[in-house]
Amino acid sequence: MKVIKFDSARATWLFPLEEFGPVAGSNNPSVISQIAQRYGFAQVPTITTQEAMAKNGLPFGMGHFQNRDSRFAVTDFVVYNDGLVAIAEKTEWAEAFLEDVTTWVKSEFNFREVVSGIRKLYASTIVVDFESPLSRLLKGYEVISNLITSHAVTITPHKTPLQFSRLDFEVDRTVLAGQLALPKFVIERRAGVSFDHERYYCNAPMHTETHLSVLKEIEDLAKRQ
């Protein structure tokens, strides 16, 4: 398996923002300005009303962060009433940024430790080339493909094979009633790339490194079929 691109990765920390802020309150414009300066954010949020923040959060955009010997982009950082979200190429980078910014505001502006705990969620998207066709994961693939193709009606004058294009896993929506963001694991053909190439866009609710490990195990299963 070859990584073509680390497309995007999100780290989300959920907690009540009121526990995190200083007891005496903070000078929000000053904090926002200094966060933007420290991380070089090109997009800086404008505070309007409490209602606007509750709906849209405070979005920062196109910043950067130095983590040990690596410098990487933080494409988005949003402060919500119920937590923080950071987006970078890898979840490890996004989380390193959240660790840094929360530690820094506690040191500089008397923000506090969150006493009720932090729930951490992750999502990563990667574009990869597989060495082995993923269609091998499906027992009887050739028979199924030929059956579907033989009965399909298409715009082309000749029969064009309908082939494996997507692997998709998600939870039963009926057991998570009321939850808006449902976890999904998806491997689908990269748009605009010939099926001769085993190139896939992969999305998963997990750390980037874990995602890579899972994709490698799936590829190994395909090779053994």
PDB file of all heavy atoms in Angstrom, residues 14 16 18 54 107 113 120 145 155 173 188 204 207 221:
ATOM      1  N   LEU A  14     -14.447  17.361  23.276  1.00  0.00           N
ATOM      2  CA  LEU A  14     -15.751  17.797  23.770  1.00  0.00           C
ATOM      3  C   LEU A  14     -15.706  17.988  25.290  1.00  0.00           C
ATOM      4  O   LEU A  14     -15.332  17.078  26.035  1.00  0.00           O
ATOM      5  CB  LEU A  14     -16.819  16.766  23.400  1.00  0.00           C
ATOM      6  CG  LEU A  14     -17.050  16.538  21.897  1.00  0.00           C
ATOM      7  CD1 LEU A  14     -18.078  15.435  21.681  1.00  0.00           C
ATOM      8  CD2 LEU A  14     -17.490  17.824  21.223  1.00  0.00           C
ATOM      9  N   PRO A  16     -17.454  21.133  28.479  1.00  0.00           N
ATOM     10  CA  PRO A  16     -18.136  22.421  28.671  1.00  0.00           C
ATOM     11  C   PRO A  16     -17.121  23.563  28.697  1.00  0.00           C
ATOM     12  O   PRO A  16     -16.239  23.599  29.554  1.00  0.00           O
ATOM     13  CB  PRO A  16     -18.823  22.269  30.036  1.00  0.00           C
ATOM     14  CG  PRO A  16     -18.781  20.809  30.351  1.00  0.00           C
ATOM     15  CD  PRO A  16     -17.577  20.269  29.666  1.00  0.00           C
ATOM     16  N   GLU A  18     -17.438  26.493  29.649  1.00  0.00           N
ATOM     17  CA  GLU A  18     -17.533  27.313  30.851  1.00  0.00           C
ATOM     18  C   GLU A  18     -16.625  26.796  31.960  1.00  0.00           C
ATOM     19  O   GLU A  18     -16.216  27.558  32.836  1.00  0.00           O
ATOM     20  CB  GLU A  18     -18.979  27.363  31.335  1.00  0.00           C
ATOM     21  CG  GLU A  18     -19.555  26.014  31.750  1.00  0.00           C
ATOM     22  CD  GLU A  18     -21.020  26.097  32.117  1.00  0.00           C
ATOM     23  OE1 GLU A  18     -21.608  27.168  31.888  1.00  0.00           O
ATOM     24  OE2 GLU A  18     -21.568  25.103  32.628  1.00  0.00           O
ATOM     25  N   ALA A  54     -22.791  30.392  19.710  1.00  0.00           N
ATOM     26  CA  ALA A  54     -23.417  29.101  19.983  1.00  0.00           C
ATOM     27  C   ALA A  54     -23.706  28.350  18.690  1.00  0.00           C
ATOM     28  O   ALA A  54     -23.618  27.123  18.634  1.00  0.00           O
ATOM     29  CB  ALA A  54     -24.695  29.299  20.778  1.00  0.00           C
ATOM     30  N   SER A 107      -1.664  28.877  30.814  1.00  0.00           N
ATOM     31  CA  SER A 107      -0.489  29.560  31.365  1.00  0.00           C
ATOM     32  C   SER A 107      -0.588  31.078  31.254  1.00  0.00           C
ATOM     33  O   SER A 107      -0.249  31.805  32.192  1.00  0.00           O
ATOM     34  CB  SER A 107       0.773  29.076  30.641  1.00  0.00           C
ATOM     35  OG  SER A 107       1.901  29.833  30.999  1.00  0.00           O
ATOM     36  N   GLU A 113      -8.151  23.717  34.222  1.00  0.00           N
ATOM     37  CA  GLU A 113      -8.309  22.314  33.866  1.00  0.00           C
ATOM     38  C   GLU A 113      -9.800  21.980  33.820  1.00  0.00           C
ATOM     39  O   GLU A 113     -10.584  22.494  34.625  1.00  0.00           O
ATOM     40  CB  GLU A 113      -7.623  21.405  34.904  1.00  0.00           C
ATOM     41  CG  GLU A 113      -6.119  21.525  34.960  1.00  0.00           C
ATOM     42  CD  GLU A 113      -5.435  20.952  33.727  1.00  0.00           C
ATOM     43  OE1 GLU A 113      -6.069  20.130  33.026  1.00  0.00           O
ATOM     44  OE2 GLU A 113      -4.285  21.334  33.469  1.00  0.00           O
ATOM     45  N   LYS A 120     -12.701  12.684  23.529  1.00  0.00           N
ATOM     46  CA  LYS A 120     -11.904  12.954  22.340  1.00  0.00           C
ATOM     47  C   LYS A 120     -12.374  12.090  21.165  1.00  0.00           C
ATOM     48  O   LYS A 120     -12.491  10.873  21.297  1.00  0.00           O
ATOM     49  CB  LYS A 120     -10.420  12.713  22.629  1.00  0.00           C
ATOM     50  CG  LYS A 120      -9.882  13.626  23.732  1.00  0.00           C
ATOM     51  CD  LYS A 120      -8.402  13.407  23.984  1.00  0.00           C
ATOM     52  CE  LYS A 120      -7.889  14.360  25.060  1.00  0.00           C
ATOM     53  NZ  LYS A 120      -6.431  14.201  25.303  1.00  0.00           N
ATOM     54  N   SER A 145     -20.313  -9.669 -10.352  1.00  0.00           N
ATOM     55  CA  SER A 145     -20.079  -8.587 -11.312  1.00  0.00           C
ATOM     56  C   SER A 145     -20.675  -8.919 -12.671  1.00  0.00           C
ATOM     57  O   SER A 145     -21.338  -8.079 -13.304  1.00  0.00           O
ATOM     58  CB  SER A 145     -18.578  -8.334 -11.450  1.00  0.00           C
ATOM     59  OG  SER A 145     -18.321  -7.351 -12.437  1.00  0.00           O
ATOM     60  N   ILE A 155     -26.257   3.694 -20.766  1.00  0.00           N
ATOM     61  CA  ILE A 155     -26.307   4.570 -21.929  1.00  0.00           C
ATOM     62  C   ILE A 155     -25.314   4.147 -23.012  1.00  0.00           C
ATOM     63  O   ILE A 155     -25.439   4.527 -24.166  1.00  0.00           O
ATOM     64  CB  ILE A 155     -26.051   6.031 -21.499  1.00  0.00           C
ATOM     65  CG1 ILE A 155     -26.481   7.003 -22.613  1.00  0.00           C
ATOM     66  CG2 ILE A 155     -24.588   6.248 -21.121  1.00  0.00           C
ATOM     67  CD1 ILE A 155     -26.468   8.455 -22.186  1.00  0.00           C
ATOM     68  N   ARG A 173     -28.320   3.117  12.533  1.00  0.00           N
ATOM     69  CA  ARG A 173     -28.832   4.434  12.903  1.00  0.00           C
ATOM     70  C   ARG A 173     -29.961   4.364  13.927  1.00  0.00           C
ATOM     71  O   ARG A 173     -30.170   5.316  14.683  1.00  0.00           O
ATOM     72  CB  ARG A 173     -29.323   5.171  11.651  1.00  0.00           C
ATOM     73  CG  ARG A 173     -28.211   5.512  10.672  1.00  0.00           C
ATOM     74  CD  ARG A 173     -28.759   6.058   9.360  1.00  0.00           C
ATOM     75  NE  ARG A 173     -27.671   6.365   8.429  1.00  0.00           N
ATOM     76  CZ  ARG A 173     -27.109   7.553   8.333  1.00  0.00           C
ATOM     77  NH1 ARG A 173     -27.534   8.555   9.086  1.00  0.00           N
ATOM     78  NH2 ARG A 173     -26.121   7.767   7.479  1.00  0.00           N
ATOM     79  N   GLU A 188     -13.526   4.195  -0.945  1.00  0.00           N
ATOM     80  CA  GLU A 188     -14.178   4.313  -2.248  1.00  0.00           C
ATOM     81  C   GLU A 188     -13.199   4.772  -3.316  1.00  0.00           C
ATOM     82  O   GLU A 188     -12.217   5.456  -3.035  1.00  0.00           O
ATOM     83  CB  GLU A 188     -15.366   5.267  -2.176  1.00  0.00           C
ATOM     84  CG  GLU A 188     -15.039   6.690  -1.784  1.00  0.00           C
ATOM     85  CD  GLU A 188     -16.277   7.560  -1.703  1.00  0.00           C
ATOM     86  OE1 GLU A 188     -17.319   7.165  -2.252  1.00  0.00           O
ATOM     87  OE2 GLU A 188     -16.193   8.627  -1.090  1.00  0.00           O
ATOM     88  N   ALA A 204     -12.201   7.450   7.945  1.00  0.00           N
ATOM     89  CA  ALA A 204     -12.411   6.614   9.125  1.00  0.00           C
ATOM     90  C   ALA A 204     -12.471   7.449  10.396  1.00  0.00           C
ATOM     91  O   ALA A 204     -11.787   8.467  10.504  1.00  0.00           O
ATOM     92  CB  ALA A 204     -11.292   5.582   9.252  1.00  0.00           C
ATOM     93  N   HIS A 207      -7.617   7.685  14.632  1.00  0.00           N
ATOM     94  CA  HIS A 207      -6.340   8.361  14.446  1.00  0.00           C
ATOM     95  C   HIS A 207      -5.757   8.009  13.079  1.00  0.00           C
ATOM     96  O   HIS A 207      -5.962   6.900  12.569  1.00  0.00           O
ATOM     97  CB  HIS A 207      -5.346   7.925  15.520  1.00  0.00           C
ATOM     98  CG  HIS A 207      -5.274   8.861  16.692  1.00  0.00           C
ATOM     99  ND1 HIS A 207      -5.015  10.204  16.560  1.00  0.00           N
ATOM    100  CD2 HIS A 207      -5.405   8.633  18.028  1.00  0.00           C
ATOM    101  CE1 HIS A 207      -4.989  10.767  17.761  1.00  0.00           C
ATOM    102  NE2 HIS A 207      -5.237   9.846  18.668  1.00  0.00           N
ATOM    103  N   LEU A 221      -5.674  -8.924   3.879  1.00  0.00           N
ATOM    104  CA  LEU A 221      -6.785  -9.876   3.724  1.00  0.00           C
ATOM    105  C   LEU A 221      -7.095 -10.105   2.250  1.00  0.00           C
ATOM    106  O   LEU A 221      -7.339 -11.242   1.820  1.00  0.00           O
ATOM    107  CB  LEU A 221      -8.035  -9.338   4.439  1.00  0.00           C
ATOM    108  CG  LEU A 221      -8.069  -9.427   5.958  1.00  0.00           C
ATOM    109  CD1 LEU A 221      -9.297  -8.677   6.501  1.00  0.00           C
ATOM    110  CD2 LEU A 221      -8.118 -10.888   6.413  1.00  0.00           C
TER     111      LEU A 221
END
